[in-house]
């Protein structure tokens, strides 16, 4: 029953391990008494002509209406005549920024103990504009698009995020020494926004140097903002610093304040349906969604329970070297709540 204090959020369980890890999120939210009512949407079995994709118009409307959602991994069916599901979501909902918090999980040892950074990736343009063609045989061209509007929008989001999350520094990652016009414009926009946030330290770091610094000492960074391609690469590099894709959450920010959180990993067809998947990435993505809704108490509570369960080491899924099933691991988290 829908109470008046419940916030409606769209849930796409997705494919492969998606439904199993989504089940885990629903269970944890129930035990933690999170005031969310899920509106579940499934990927269709035929193409919806209104979206040119297996995602229905109603699903997209649900996200537009609720403005918050959680998405499991989606495997795009192979074949012609339809758009990739993830691309459909990104384009239709204008998901312009991808935000990935990356922090060391206490008790899960990697080469680094002190990672605590946020990557913010411009998600709509750059080299991923899809504008490639052949000039003459043996010569192809790809257009990198950088606009003032998209750059200002993502920079504004990064500084606002830093300010509202108690962060001290924003680093713009670029290669403007070579890409003078495109990355140059991106930097110019970041500088303009930085002037409005004098309390936040602003710096510019060349992408190659940034990679070297990240693997040498990730604690040199706080919030990183960058164009699409660099963001794609750097955000995966950062996921690797803390233990891989099974642990890394993300959240997509769209026009009009939409937040669609999602795990970074795919549908893991090799372990789907076997109760072996690690729900951590989707759970921590759900936590970013709660933070977007300013439900910080619930977010802290769930995050603590997940981290405690992993740190104790008694219940861990196979990807973390343990023997637990998805349901046992989830139950252990609920016991911590
Ligand atoms: P994948 O992330 O699904 O799997 C890579 C490896 O990591 C596999 O061995 C898998 O078992 C393991 N793994 C991933 N998530 C795990 C988890 N939560 N717990 C335990 N182990 C986990 O990548 P892939 O195999 O390249 O892609 C499979 C499908 O997923 C493809 O159809 C791809 O298009 C899709 N995909 C979707 C998204 C998305 O929806 N955002 C992202 C990436 C891939």
């Amino acid at each position: 029953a829908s109470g008046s204090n419940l916030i409606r959020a769209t849930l796409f369980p997705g494919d492969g391990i998606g439904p199993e890890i989504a089940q885990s999120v629903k269970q944890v939210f129930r035990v933690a008494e999170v005031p969310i009512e899920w509106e579940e949407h499934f990927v269709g079995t035929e193409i919806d002509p209104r979206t040119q994709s297996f995602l229905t118009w109603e699903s997209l409307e649900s996200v537009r209406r609720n403005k918050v959602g959680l998405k499991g991994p989606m495997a795009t069916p192979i074949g012609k005549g339809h758009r990739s599901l993830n691309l459909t979501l990104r384009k239709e909902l204008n998901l312009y920024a991808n935000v990935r918090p990356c922090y060391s999980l206490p008790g899960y040892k990697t080469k680094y103990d002190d990672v605590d950074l946020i990557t913010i990736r411009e998600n709509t343009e750059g080299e991923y504009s899809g504008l490639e063609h052949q000039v003459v045989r043996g010569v192809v061209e790809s257009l990198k698009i950088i606009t003032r509007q998209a750059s200002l929008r993502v920079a504004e989001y990064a500084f606002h995020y830093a300010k509202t999350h108690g962060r001290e520094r924003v680093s713009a990652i670029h290669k403007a020494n070579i890409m003078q016009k495109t990355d140059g414009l991106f930097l110019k926009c970041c500088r303009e926004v930085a002037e409005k946030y004098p309390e936040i330290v602003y710096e510019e770091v060349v992408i190659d140097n940034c990679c070297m610094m990240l693997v040498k000492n990730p604690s040199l960074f706080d919030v990183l903002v960058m164009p699409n391609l660099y963001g794609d690469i750097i955000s995966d590099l950062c996921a690797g610093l803390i233990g891989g894709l099974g642990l890394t959450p993300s959240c997509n920010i769209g026009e009009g304040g939409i937040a669609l959180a999602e795990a970074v990993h795919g549908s893991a067809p090799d372990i789907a349906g076997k109760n072996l998947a690690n729900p951590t990435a989707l759970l921590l993505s759900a936590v970013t969604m709660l933070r977007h809704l300013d439900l910080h108490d619930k977010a802290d509570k769930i995050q603590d329970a997940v981290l405690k369960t992993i740190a104790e080491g008694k219940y861990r899924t196979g990807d973390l070297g343990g023997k637990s099933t998805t349901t046992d691991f989830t139950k252990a988290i609920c016991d911590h709540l």
Side-chain angles (χ1 to χ4, degrees), residues 17 71 73-75 86 262 264-271 277-278 319:
I17 58 170
K71 166 187 170 296
M74 292 177 180
N86 291 312
E262 68 169 324
V264 169
H265 60 71
S267 56
D270 51 334
I271 56 165
N278 185 352
D319 57 309

Side-chain angles (χ1 to χ4, degrees), residues 158-174:
F159 279 92
H160 178 77
Y161 184 99
K163 187 176 173 179
T164 51
H165 290 74
R167 299 271 170 174
E168 286 167 6
R169 174 192 299 260
V170 171
S171 313
I173 311 303
H174 69 96

Side-chain angles (χ1 to χ4, degrees), residues 97-101 118-121 157 161 249-253 288:
N98 181 262
V99 183
R100 275 201 212 174
I118 312 281
T119 60
I120 298 181
R121 162 187 177 188
Y157 185 81
Y161 184 99
S250 84
C251 191
N252 298 291
I253 304 298
T288 68

Side-chain angles (χ1 to χ4, degrees), residues 15 17 21 71-78 85-86 90 245-247 262-272 276-282 317-320:
D15 302 308
I17 58 170
I21 56 180
K71 166 187 170 296
M74 292 177 180
T76 292
I78 300 181
L85 300 169
N86 291 312
R90 193 176 302 171
L245 297 182
L247 301 172
E262 68 169 324
V264 169
H265 60 71
S267 56
D270 51 334
I271 56 165
L276 294 174
N278 185 352
T280 301
L282 196 66
T317 46
D319 57 309
L320 299 185

Side-chain angles (χ1 to χ4, degrees), residues 19 88 177 200 214 227 231 259 281 292:
T88 305
N177 43 337
I200 308 282
L214 275 170
H292 181 85

